Every structure is written in structure tokens, then in C-alpha cells.
Amino acid sequence: MAKDPDGPVRAAAAEALATAGNPERAGPGLLARARGDRDPAVRAAAIESLGLLGVPEAAEDLFDIGRSEPLLLRACAFALARIGTEGAREALRSVEVYDRLVSLARN
């Protein structure tokens, strides 16, 4: 399912990994999807799944993704809040500041 040509199927696969509850096994594949899938909905699903699984190793990457991809910023903020480590909280504070700047720029 993760390699299916249909974006919604890949997104469902990412969401299913979060319910499996094994961050060590699912984390690397989800992070790869979060970084590189061509479909933003799949990337968002992978990001949220990383947060649901609480993968602390993903915090820095999630910050970078959120900073460079405003459309994925909210998913990254959700994931960072769920991960909850000190590194994730630090990244979340930075993402929130960036989100405010993006909002101001749009208005």
C-alpha cells in the first residue's frame, strides 16, 4: 500500500502505521514519506502518524519540513506537540513563531 500510485491509499497506509504502535519499525518509513512523497496529503498523514507514535528522532526533521512547507506546518505542529520531548517542544516553539509570521505576511 505504501507504494500504491493512488495518494489516498498511501495516506491510509501511513495512518495505519500509527495504529500499529511500533515507532521503531514504522518511524523510518513514515519519515521518508513525510519528507518525500509527491502528495501533500500523504506527507501530512505521515507527519501526523509520527506524532501519534511519538517518534522523538523525527522532531528536527518535522521542524525543517514545517518551516520549508507552510502547507504542512499545522501537521508538523501537531506531531511535535504529541512527541513532547524537550527537543520537540523547542522545535514547536519555533514552528509557532514561524506560523505567526506566515499568518502576518498573508494578511
Side-chain angles (χ1 to χ4, degrees):
M1 285 175 37
K3 296 186 189 276
D4 194 284
D6 189 30
V9 173
R10 292 192 314 278
E15 292 166 359
L17 286 173
T19 62
N22 190 335
E24 293 81 23
R25 289 189 57 153
L30 287 169
L31 194 52
R33 285 275 170 227
R35 283 189 199 129
D37 198 278
R38 66 187 175 276
D39 186 330
V42 174
R43 295 181 76 196
I47 290 165
E48 290 175 5
S49 293
L50 286 164
L52 290 170
L53 285 170
V55 180
E57 301 81 16
E60 188 174 324
D61 289 296
L62 292 173
F63 170 73
D64 290 341
I65 293 167
R67 194 167 43 108
S68 64
E69 309 244 1
L71 292 174
L72 299 173
L73 189 60
R74 298 227 186 270
C76 289
F78 167 83
L80 289 167
R82 290 294 303 249
I83 291 170
T85 62
E86 183 54 39
R89 285 192 296 272
E90 174 100 9
L92 180 58
R93 285 189 284 276
S94 298
V95 166
E96 287 173 342
V97 168
Y98 182 77
D99 186 34
R100 284 189 219 122
L101 293 174
V102 169
S103 293
L104 288 172
R106 288 184 180 156
N107 293 326

